């Protein structure tokens, strides 16, 4: 279905939107729901799509981003530059790696914890609150704390030494090979609460009868979890996979605040690279180009994931 | 589906929806007002200065709120009816925030600018500022250029327009040591790499950190690197930044090797590239965990007892005993014998927004801070900056040093060295060169780049800029 | 979920749960500890003494409440429309809104500023509220639409037979059912609006319009960085959010179970 007719309607006075368009039954217009979604559409088109269009235009410029400075048009040179930019490809690779790991770990912990919390546990509400509080805190709030924890003299090294793993202590943020896992750890710390809450919610939808039936059939706890509960939470997993991918592509706060994308671009993501290019590198046009690439990737990734999960749903 | 049946009253539904949204929107646009200034007239004020009224906003990433308050209080003694509000903006996002603001009449009247291309770079913001030449000529006469430090003239000028008035300058190239630790282990300030290594090994045996650098924050790596270059050939670095010498010159290869040796020879603390100079290295030094740090003239303010105590408290030390810190020349790594030089430029200048509706008051403020004896004395006495106006120096008898018997003479000599520097610190470094330095210096430090690769990266940027 | 018999297995499960939350708890404890370094509780006094605590809390509260109101209104209407009404190109619109989820805040700041100055909204709270709402609406529509999908059509059919129009059905029948999802929308929107940092910093210049996330930056400047003050400010900033979450915890969970993501 094309968007053109709907778009045309958008510009008219609101009361005109419901005019029957011939194809519809005499009772109902195909457009009858439009006024209901109109406020959201206006908000999103006006404030998100306009900026996207603007970025598309800016991506053809050589411009420092200051409104009073005159830009020069350079066509697709920024795009050519992007495809040859090792930092860009590096950031992409980091994103993929980061997404696969954080998503798996979050799903595992979130799912397990949700199952545990649905069992009879003392202090359950307190535990749930503790896991969810990181979601609520601004990343900027916790960044200095994590920098300290993973420092040479930080609590993590102290913990390692006190359990006899002193040989493993090191400044964790100083080496790209250890800084990236730290970034992932912080991300998992921050977002598992959300994963947990969603699984917890999905599990409370399951009817006790099914679980009971499984138990009568002699299935153990883990068997039940794996073959009954997990498949029934597939919708949640699929949605989290899409949200996680989008989140991974947008990753900005944590690497920016904790490692500044370093050392040596070792924790560089598209988000940090775009911000750095724009704010410190003063190449707004190039930053816009990277932003457009990010949007394309995010939309494509989201659609692909959505299609693949809905296909597996049907099977 | 339920929706297939057409609602009877679509029109009223739509109106309802839209009006809900509008109602919410209009309820949310609040407004606010600011209070009038409390005026106290003092000697020094004339009829003209008293008559000037205004309510100014001043934006900057520096100075600290305390210092800004002192500066404004001094200004208000002469201009009692101009209220100034200082708004501290985070350094990392200063440019993003300032850009939009000064294209609007609601932005600041006065804002900080800096030489070079880091935050608040003059070349970036020149189009949003007025030319201060007439104002400074009126204040200091047509020979004003001879009355202020040169760091505030050319580096603050873009295309003939004096964008900002320099408030003061910072210099780097020397290090700071914790004299208490050095005394405790009877150590002498190192002057060569060998001595430096001995100092470090003594300290390490005693469980004290030696030299700390937040090498992840490369602006300070650039200071250390420039200090190394100065040791090889004074002014070499500045000449390369200006394009007069190539970065691929063999002397820079030596500088890179020296830079790398700091990491290989156990002088830099482990994991240096994972730390930031601020807050990490600063806090480690102030809390006494490390004995040496690469900081510039701005660190002089830490010789003031109160500032040191505050700094240590902020670093997490409970009821601290202030430590005695001393400036020392950068050791002679190259064995050239050329040590002790410094480099620096304007820390920040005050620019007046072209969109400001109170330019007279704004100019009066910038002029008073940057060119008046009294204004510059306030700047000098905090020891944070070296004042822009020639002939103004810190009034040491009014400054409560941590350890005057040890520090006073050393600090006076330090400041004399600083103001006689000829090389620049950031003034000639473009945004791209800055980025290239990050990749070069951190790449070298972590062993992922060779000296050749690092230097070629720098030269490539320099070539592209032509 | 786990079918536990016997004291030991119950203890084991309790132990497992405790072990799992420890890594989540520890950083929170370290943060609190850090905020008490140096001056101890004096750090909190230091934050209060900046004199702007009431102002920034007020502004953040206004921004959050207004963002929540706009997000709530837009989300409820749109989710109902997407779920229960016929709309030309419905899925296209839905995906167009969802695609907006992918837009990072940092990259649209400059274009947003252009919009704001064209409408003369620069330095008004609304210039922060509207973009925040626009960035939040895609996610809340996603969860609310799932919620509405779970509301049986029959309930509404019955009302329609009684002669109620769409708005009346929505108002008197559907909205009362949505209380659980409302809690979820409030909590999520509060998190994003209360924590917003870049937008307020860019759009609000007047000192009297600053927000809570700017509090920590009072303790950092170029050559100083008071970590204890930063952490104390961060703790103060986080308290209201944690309280709201605890307050809504029950209905928040219920709302997500009803809507969830499927």
């Amino acid at each position: 279905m094309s968007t053109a007719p709907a778009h045309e309607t958008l510009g008219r006075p609101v009361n005109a939107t419901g005019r029957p368009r011939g194809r519809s039954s005499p009772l109902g217009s195909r457009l009858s729901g439009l006024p209901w979604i109109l406020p959201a559409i206006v908000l999103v088109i006006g404030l998100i799509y306009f900026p996207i269009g603007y970025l598309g235009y800016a991506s053809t410029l050589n411009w420092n981003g200051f409104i009073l400075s005159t830009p020069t048009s350079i066509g697709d040179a920024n795009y050519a530059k992007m495809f040859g930019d090792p930092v860009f490809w590096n950031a992409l690779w980091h994103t993929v790696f980061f997404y696969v790991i954080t998503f798996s770990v979050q799903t595992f912990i979130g799912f397990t914890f949700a199952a545990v919390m649905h069992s009879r546990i003392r202090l359950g509400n307190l535990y749930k609150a503790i896991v969810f509080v990181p979601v609520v805190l601004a990343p900027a709030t916790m960044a200095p704390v994590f920098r300290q924890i993973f420092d040479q003299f930080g609590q993590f090294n102290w913990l390692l030494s006190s359990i006899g793993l002193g040989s493993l202590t090191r400044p964790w943020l100083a080496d790209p090979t250890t800084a990236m896992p730290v970034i992932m750890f912080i991300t998992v710390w921050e977002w598992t609460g959300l994963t947990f809450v969603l699984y917890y919610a999905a599990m409370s939808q399951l009817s006790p009868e099914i679980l009971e039936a499984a138990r009568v059939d002699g299935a153990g706890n883990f068997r039940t979890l794996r073959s009954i509960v997990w498949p029934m939470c597939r919708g949640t997993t699929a949605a989290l996979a899409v949200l996680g991918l989008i989140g991974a592509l947008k990753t900005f706060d944590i690497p920016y605040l904790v490692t500044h994308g370093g050392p040596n671009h070792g924790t560089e993501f598209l988000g940090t690279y775009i911000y750095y290019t724009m704010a410190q590198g003063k190449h707004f046009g190039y930053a816009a180009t990277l932003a457009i690439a990010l949007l394309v990737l995010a939309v494509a990734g989201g659609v692909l994931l959505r299609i693949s999960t809905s296909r597996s749903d049907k099977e | 589906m339920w929706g297939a049946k057409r609602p009877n009253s679509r029109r009223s539904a739509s109106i309802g929806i839209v009006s809900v949204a509008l109602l919410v929107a209009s309820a949310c646009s609040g407004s606010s007002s600011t209070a009038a200034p409390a005026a106290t007239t003092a000697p020094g004020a004339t009829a003209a200065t008293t008559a000037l009224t205004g309510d100014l906003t001043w934006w900057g990433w520096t100075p600290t709120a305390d210092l800004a308050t002192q500066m404004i209080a001094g200004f208000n003694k002469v201009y009692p009816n101009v209220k100034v509000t200082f708004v501290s903006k985070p350094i990392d996002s200063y440019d993003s925030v300032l850009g939009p603001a000064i294209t609007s009449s609601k932005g600041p009247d006065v804002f900080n600018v800096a030489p070079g291309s880091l935050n608040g770079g003059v070349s970036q913001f020149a189009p949003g500022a007025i030319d201060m030449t007439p104002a400074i000529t009126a204040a200091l006469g047509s020979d004003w250029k001879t009355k202020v430090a040169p760091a505030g003239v050319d580096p603050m000028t873009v295309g003939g327009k004096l964008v900002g008035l320099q408030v003061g300058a910072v210099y780097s190239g020397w290090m700071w040591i914790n004299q208490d630790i050095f005394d405790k282990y009877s150590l002498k300030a190192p002057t060569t790499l060998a001595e430096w290594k001995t100092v470090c090994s003594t300290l390490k045996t005693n469980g004290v950190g030696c030299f700390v650098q937040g090498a992840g924050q490369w602006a300070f790596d650039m200071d250390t690197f420039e200090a190394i270059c100065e040791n090889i050939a004074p002014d070499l670095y500045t000449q390369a930044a200006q394009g007069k010498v190539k970065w691929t010159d063999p002397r820079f290869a030596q500088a890179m090797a020296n830079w790398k040796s700091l990491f290989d020879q156990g002088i830099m603390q482990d994991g240096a590239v994972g730390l930031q100079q601020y807050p990490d290295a600063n806090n480690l030094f102030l809390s006494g965990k490390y004995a040496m740090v690469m900081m510039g003239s701005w660190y002089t303010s830490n010789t003031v007892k109160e500032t040191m105590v505050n700094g240590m408290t902020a670093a997490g030390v409970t009821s601290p005993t202030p430590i005695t810190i001393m400036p020392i020349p950068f050791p002679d790594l190259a064995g050239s014998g050329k040590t002790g030089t410094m480099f620096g430029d304007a820390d920040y200048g005050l620019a007046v927004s072209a969109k400001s509706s109170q330019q007279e008051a704004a100019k009066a403020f910038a002029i008073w801070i940057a060119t008046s004896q009294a204004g510059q004395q306030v700047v000098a006495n905090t020891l944070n900056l070296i004042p822009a106006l020639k002939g103004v120096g810190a009034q040491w008898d009014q400054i409560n040093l941590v350890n005057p018997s040890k520090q006073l003479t050393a600090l006076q000599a330090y400041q004399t060295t600083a103001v006689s520097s000829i090389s620049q610190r950031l003034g000639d470094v473009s945004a791209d060169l800055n980025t290239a330095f990050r990749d070069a210096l951190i790449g070298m430090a972590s062993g992922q780049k060779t000296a050749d690769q690092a230097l070629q990266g720098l030269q490539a940027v320099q070539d592209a800029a032509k | 979920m786990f079918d536990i018999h016997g004291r030991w297995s119950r203890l084991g499960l309790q132990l497992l749960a405790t072990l799992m939350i420890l890594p989540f708890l520890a950083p929170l404890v370290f943060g609190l500890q850090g905020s008490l370094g140096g001056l101890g509780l004096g750090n909190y006094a230091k934050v209060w003494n900046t004199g702007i605590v009431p102002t920034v809390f007020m502004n953040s509260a206004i921004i959050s409440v207004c963002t929540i109101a706009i997000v709530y209104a837009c989300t409820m209407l749109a989710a109902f429309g997407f779920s229960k009404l016929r709309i030309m190109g419905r899925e296209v619109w839905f995906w167009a809104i969802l695609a907006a989820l992918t837009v990072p805040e940092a990259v649209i700041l400059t274009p947003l500023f252009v919009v704001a100055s064209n409408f003369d909204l620069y330095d008004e709270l609304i210039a922060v509220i509207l973009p925040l709402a626009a960035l939040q609406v895609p996610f809340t529509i996603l969860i609310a639409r799932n919620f509405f999908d779970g509301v049986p059509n029959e309930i509404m059919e019955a009302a329609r037979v009684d002669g109620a129009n769409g708005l009346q059905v929505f108002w008197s029948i559907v909205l009362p059912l949505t209380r659980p999802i409302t809690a979820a929308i409030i909590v999520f929107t509060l998190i994003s609006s209360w924590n917003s940092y870049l937008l307020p910093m860019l759009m609000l210049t007047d000192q009297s319009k600053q927000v809570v996330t700017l509090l920590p930056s009072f303790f950092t400047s170029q050559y100083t960085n008071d970590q204890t003050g930063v952490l104390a400010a961060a703790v103060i900033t986080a308290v209201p959010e944690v309280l709201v979450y605890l307050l809504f915890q029950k209905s928040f969970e219920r709302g997500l179970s009803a809507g969830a993501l499927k």
Side-chain angles (χ1 to χ4, degrees):
Chain A
M1 189 174 295
S2 112
T3 52
H7 194 77
E8 171 195 316
T9 326
L10 200 65
R12 294 193 202 157
V14 185
N15 61 351
T17 52
R19 198 146 291 156
R21 296 183 73 88
R23 284 177 284 168
S24 327
S25 66
L27 263 178
S29 153
R30 299 186 67 94
L31 286 167
S32 58
L34 201 56
W36 294 79
I37 62 167
L38 198 61
I41 298 279
V42 169
L43 196 65
V44 170
I45 301 271
L47 290 162
I48 310 286
Y49 279 83
F50 171 77
I52 293 175
Y54 189 93
L55 287 175
Y57 160 70
S59 71
T60 65
L61 304 176
N62 180 12
W63 184 36
N64 65 11
F66 182 39
I67 315 268
L68 300 179
S69 307
T70 350
T72 44
S73 182
I74 52 166
D76 60 359
N78 280 326
Y79 288 89
K81 179 178 169 190
M82 180 176 78
F83 287 112
D85 183 350
V87 180
F88 168 73
W89 293 109
N90 236 334
L92 264 190
W93 164 240
H94 289 156
T95 305
V96 173
F97 180 58
F98 171 89
Y99 169 59
V100 170
I101 306 274
T102 54
F103 174 68
S104 316
V105 174
Q106 261 166 252
T107 305
F108 178 76
I109 300 180
F111 181 80
T112 315
F113 196 66
V116 171
M117 284 295 117
H118 267 297
S119 314
R120 290 204 292 169
I121 285 281
R122 281 169 197 276
L123 300 174
N125 276 340
L126 178 68
Y127 284 20
K128 284 190 281 187
I130 289 172
V131 173
F132 194 75
V133 161
V135 179
V136 173
L137 299 179
T141 307
M142 290 304 291
V145 179
F146 280 107
R147 292 178 52 76
Q148 185 199 326
I149 291 175
F150 289 101
D151 178 49
Q152 174 85 46
F153 305 107
Q155 288 92 339
F156 188 65
N157 278 344
W158 172 81
L159 184 75
L160 284 178
S161 327
S162 55
I163 57 170
L165 292 172
S167 58
L168 290 180
T169 61
R170 69 193 67 207
W172 294 90
L173 295 172
D175 185 335
T177 53
T178 54
M180 187 53 118
V182 171
I183 296 294
M184 293 192 215
F185 171 83
I186 302 173
T187 308
V188 168
W189 179 84
E190 196 189 342
W191 290 111
T192 300
L194 185 62
T195 312
F196 155 71
V197 160
L198 293 173
Y199 275 121
Y200 185 78
M203 284 181 196
S204 48
Q205 294 281 86
L206 302 180
S207 70
E209 289 80 21
I210 300 180
L211 296 177
E212 210 42 58
R215 296 234 159 81
V216 170
D217 288 349
N221 280 327
F222 292 100
R223 180 81 200 276
T224 317
L225 265 192
R226 210 186 55 217
S227 359
I228 302 196
V229 182
W230 173 248
M232 293 185 87
C233 291
R234 192 165 50 194
T236 305
T237 312
L240 282 170
V242 176
L243 287 178
L245 178 72
I246 291 168
L249 282 164
K250 279 161 76 171
T251 302
F252 170 70
D253 295 1
I254 294 170
Y256 176 70
L257 292 162
V258 176
T259 57
H260 291 243
N264 247 329
H265 300 294
T267 53
E268 199 77 82
F269 287 83
L270 279 180
T272 52
Y273 191 44
I274 291 170
Y275 189 75
Y276 180 81
T277 306
M278 183 175 70
Q280 270 143 319
K282 306 280 188 290
H283 296 294
F284 189 85
Y286 188 47
T289 310
L290 294 166
I292 294 289
L294 187 154
L295 292 179
V296 170
L297 286 168
V299 172
V303 169
L304 277 180
L305 266 179
R306 196 77 198 176
I307 290 171
S308 67
T309 50
S310 68
R311 185 173 299 153
S312 71
D313 269 353
K314 279 174 198 143
E315 275 162 11
Chain B
M1 174 160 300
W2 183 75
K5 290 180 189 159
R6 178 179 168 194
N8 293 330
S9 156
R10 244 172 296 108
R11 186 194 163 115
S12 64
S14 325
I15 292 174
I17 292 159
V18 171
S19 51
V20 166
L22 281 179
L23 207 85
V24 169
S26 63
C28 291
S29 40
S31 67
S32 66
S33 59
T34 25
T40 41
T41 321
T46 66
T49 61
T50 328
L52 190 64
T53 59
D55 186 351
L56 304 175
T57 307
W58 164 27
W59 281 19
W61 64 90
T62 190
T64 57
D66 287 351
L67 179 47
T69 312
Q70 285 179 43
M71 291 161 80
I72 293 167
F75 171 71
N76 280 145
K77 283 184 188 155
V78 185
Y79 293 88
N81 296 315
V82 179
K83 187 195 173 204
V84 184
T85 311
F86 174 67
V87 183
S88 176
K89 294 284 171 185
I91 187 164
D92 284 341
S93 45
Y94 184 74
D95 286 8
S96 328
V97 174
L98 183 67
I102 58 172
T103 57
S104 138
S105 57
K106 291 172 184 166
D109 304 286
V110 179
F111 58 92
N112 283 8
V113 288
S117 61
L118 292 178
N119 44 289
V122 277
S123 52
Q124 169 106 343
F125 293 111
I130 64 167
D131 185 5
M132 295 300 281
T133 316
I136 197 170
T137 312
L140 295 178
S142 53
D143 57 343
W144 62 272
K145 282 186 189 179
T146 62
K147 295 182 179 167
V148 298
V153 185
D154 286 346
M156 285 290 178
T157 308
V158 177
K161 180 191 208 175
L162 184 62
V163 179
L165 295 180
Q166 188 204 180
V167 173
V170 288
Y171 299 87
S172 192
W174 283 31
M175 300 191 292
W176 289 87
I177 61 170
N178 181 329
Q179 190 66 45
D180 299 342
I181 295 179
F182 270 67
D183 287 351
K184 187 172 171 193
Y185 303 108
S186 338
L187 294 169
K188 282 218 155 53
T191 58
T192 63
L193 183 61
E195 285 179 24
W196 202 353
K197 279 162 71 178
T198 319
V199 166
C200 284
S201 63
T202 313
L203 288 173
K204 272 173 203 162
T205 353
N206 289 291
V208 182
C210 180
F211 175 75
V212 64
Q213 173 132 11
Q217 200 173 356
W218 64 97
F220 297 92
D221 294 349
M222 288 161 71
D223 277 353
T224 308
F225 183 72
E226 186 170 358
I228 292 171
C229 295
E230 283 283 301
N231 174 225
I232 292 168
D235 209 35
L236 180 65
Y237 178 98
T238 306
Q239 287 170 17
Q242 291 170 347
K244 293 174 193 158
V245 177
K246 281 196 183 298
W247 290 107
T248 44
D249 187 290
R251 288 173 293 181
F252 285 115
Q254 189 193 346
M256 278 291 175
N258 287 342
W259 162 251
K260 180 90 169 97
S261 70
L262 296 181
F263 294 85
D264 296 343
Q265 312 260 353
I267 285 171
M268 284 273 181
Q269 86 283 11
D270 284 343
V273 294
L275 296 188
Q276 301 288 307
Q277 189 82 342
Y278 285 93
D280 308 330
N282 179 50
N283 285 352
L284 288 167
F285 180 76
L286 290 182
S287 54
K289 294 195 177 91
Y290 281 88
M292 309 173 80
V293 72
M294 185 73 194
M295 294 280 195
S297 64
W298 62 89
Y299 227 55
T300 317
S301 57
N302 282 325
T303 58
V304 180
K305 199 179 268 172
E306 250 179 36
T307 315
M308 178 52 95
V309 169
N310 288 343
M312 293 174 75
T313 315
V317 182
T318 316
S319 39
T321 318
I323 51 180
T324 306
I325 61 166
M326 298 284 273
I328 62 160
F330 197 81
D332 187 3
L333 295 190
S336 67
K338 298 168 202 152
T339 59
T341 56
M342 293 175 76
F343 42 88
D345 37 38
D347 184 45
Y348 71 101
L350 295 177
V352 172
S353 169
K355 286 272 186 176
S356 168
S357 54
Q358 310 179 70
Q359 290 183 359
E360 285 315 308
K363 277 191 279 189
F365 177 67
I367 287 286
W368 188 83
I369 298 283
T371 69
S372 79
Q373 201 78 26
Q376 287 285 289
Q377 194 63 60
V378 176
V379 173
N381 284 2
T382 60
L383 300 183
N384 206 334
L385 302 182
I386 297 188
L389 191 66
K390 286 182 183 167
V392 178
Q395 292 163 319
W396 294 104
D397 53 335
Q398 295 183 20
I399 296 168
N400 185 16
L401 293 177
V402 173
N403 190 339
S405 62
K406 279 186 182 154
Q407 288 171 315
L408 184 56
T409 23
L411 293 179
Q412 285 167 333
Y414 179 67
Q415 293 208 334
T416 314
T417 314
V419 292
S420 63
S421 321
I422 50 165
S423 302
Q424 294 198 18
R425 182 166 171 248
L426 298 168
D428 295 309
V429 179
S430 69
D432 288 337
L433 187 56
N434 184 47
T435 307
F437 259 118
R438 172 189 62 180
D439 294 348
L441 293 176
I442 298 180
M444 276 296 283
S446 54
Q448 295 185 349
K449 274 203 161 100
T450 64
D452 278 352
Q453 287 168 336
L455 293 171
Q456 274 158 14
L458 295 176
Q459 189 56 39
V461 168
Q462 204 82 38
D463 291 340
K466 277 174 193 165
Chain C
M1 200 56 54
F2 283 110
D3 189 29
I4 299 297
H5 303 286
R7 196 157 164 212
W8 287 111
S9 44
R10 189 181 293 173
L11 209 67
L13 198 64
Q14 187 78 33
L15 195 70
L16 174 72
T18 312
L19 280 178
M20 285 181 89
I21 62 145
L22 278 183
F24 289 90
L25 183 62
L28 299 173
V29 175
F30 295 145
L32 270 178
Q33 246 173 16
S35 77
L36 293 171
L39 293 175
L41 284 176
N43 294 322
Y44 289 87
K46 206 160 56 183
V47 177
W48 178 259
N49 289 338
T50 55
I52 59 158
V53 175
T55 318
V56 296
F57 267 81
M58 182 52 104
N59 288 330
S60 279
I62 295 174
I63 289 178
S64 298
V65 168
C66 292
T67 310
I68 289 171
I70 294 176
V71 168
Y72 179 72
C74 290
T75 303
M76 281 301 163
L77 295 169
F80 181 71
F82 279 126
S83 175
K84 300 295 178 199
L85 302 177
R86 237 187 215 180
I87 298 164
M88 179 92 157
R90 184 172 69 183
E91 293 309 306
V92 174
W93 288 117
F94 187 65
W95 274 91
I97 288 183
L98 281 197
L101 266 178
T102 62
V103 179
E105 188 185 354
V107 304
I108 56 169
L109 288 178
T110 301
L112 279 179
F113 167 72
V114 174
V115 178
S117 41
N118 280 342
F119 289 93
D120 201 23
L121 293 175
Y122 183 65
D123 203 25
E124 301 291 344
L125 295 185
I126 193 83
V128 174
I129 293 165
L130 287 177
L132 279 178
L135 287 163
Q136 187 64 22
V137 153
F139 179 68
T140 50
I141 287 183
L142 178 68
I143 56 171
R145 183 185 178 174
N146 279 317
F147 178 86
F148 280 114
D149 284 345
V151 175
N153 292 340
E154 290 74 25
I155 298 179
M156 290 171 282
E157 297 284 359
R160 291 297 305 279
V161 171
D162 291 347
N165 68 32
L167 202 62
Q168 285 163 336
V169 172
F170 178 72
W171 190 259
S172 52
I173 304 201
V174 179
L175 270 190
L177 293 174
T178 61
R179 219 165 278 153
I181 197 73
T182 303
I185 295 177
I186 290 177
V187 171
F188 282 123
T189 312
L190 177 74
I191 292 172
S192 73
S193 53
W194 190 269
N195 287 347
S196 67
Y197 175 69
L198 286 175
L199 262 172
M201 196 164 66
L202 184 83
M203 292 292 182
L204 305 173
T205 64
D206 200 294
Q207 188 75 335
S208 67
K209 288 180 183 154
Q210 301 302 319
V211 298
V212 286
T213 39
L214 243 57
L215 262 184
S217 69
F218 252 74
F219 299 96
T220 57
S221 75
Q222 189 179 16
Y223 299 130
T224 58
N225 195 313
D226 180 347
Q227 281 296 284
T228 57
V230 169
L231 286 177
V235 171
I236 290 181
T237 309
V239 166
E241 284 176 290
V242 175
L243 286 183
V244 169
Y245 167 67
L246 292 179
L247 205 68
F248 280 97
Q249 192 183 11
K250 272 269 153 339
S251 39
F252 173 66
E253 281 167 9
R254 222 176 315 131
L256 285 176
S257 351
L261 286 166
K262 289 177 261 193

